[in-house]
Amino acid sequence: MKEIIFNRNDYKSYKDFYLDAYKKLGGDRFDDFDFCKPDLGSNADILDEFLWYCHYDNLHCIFINFDVDKIKEQKKYDDYEFNLVIEVFEMFAEEFPNNSIEFKMDNQQ
């Protein structure tokens, strides 16, 4: 299983997350996403389709320092966008169980 780590502390905003996700998930290998590289258009719908292309990759995505409870409150626009990202990854792992996601805070590593 290929481990991919996303650390919330590495991103100033949700747009930085999309740049990192495209890179870590090997977006350049899919010609269908040339129109929106290198950041998947910072769009959850495009991320959803992109992950479908990755569903055979056996991914274990670890989200570090993503306080899911706080994000789901959506008090800031970044929270709203990160909530969409989390929902997309949760649906991805549910639909394709050969992939998984995990949430950790720094003090739980």
Side-chain angles (χ1 to χ4, degrees):
M1 190 165 259
K2 182 178 180 183
E3 192 171 276
I4 307 286
I5 297 175
F6 300 109
N7 189 332
R8 176 65 180 94
N9 294 338
D10 294 340
Y11 313 122
K12 291 181 183 177
S13 79
Y14 71 95
K15 291 181 180 185
D16 296 330
F17 172 85
Y18 281 97
L19 285 165
D20 193 38
Y22 183 85
K23 180 181 172 186
K24 287 180 177 175
L25 295 171
D28 286 338
R29 62 191 163 135
F30 306 119
D31 292 337
D32 291 354
F33 295 93
D34 284 348
F35 75 97
C36 62
K37 69 181 186 184
D39 64 357
L40 298 172
S42 299
N43 183 290
D45 290 331
I46 296 173
L47 175 64
D48 184 39
E49 185 172 342
F50 177 77
L51 287 175
W52 183 86
Y53 280 67
C54 300
H55 77 277
Y56 286 120
D57 291 352
N58 298 317
L59 301 172
H60 179 65
C61 298
I62 302 172
F63 290 80
I64 298 174
N65 296 317
F66 283 80
D67 188 339
V68 177
D69 293 331
K70 239 183 213 182
I71 290 170
K72 290 195 181 287
E73 290 176 9
Q74 299 182 26
K75 290 187 176 182
K76 300 182 288 185
Y77 186 74
D78 257 17
D79 292 341
Y80 168 77
E81 290 290 343
F82 275 121
N83 188 52
L84 292 174
V85 165
I86 289 168
E87 287 177 355
V88 166
F89 271 91
E90 286 175 337
M91 288 187 305
F92 172 69
E94 188 176 311
E95 189 170 346
F96 304 106
N98 59 308
N99 299 286
S100 62
I101 60 170
E102 179 181 355
F103 295 95
K104 294 181 178 182
M105 296 304 280
D106 266 339
N107 58 356
Q108 296 177 349
Q109 294 181 26

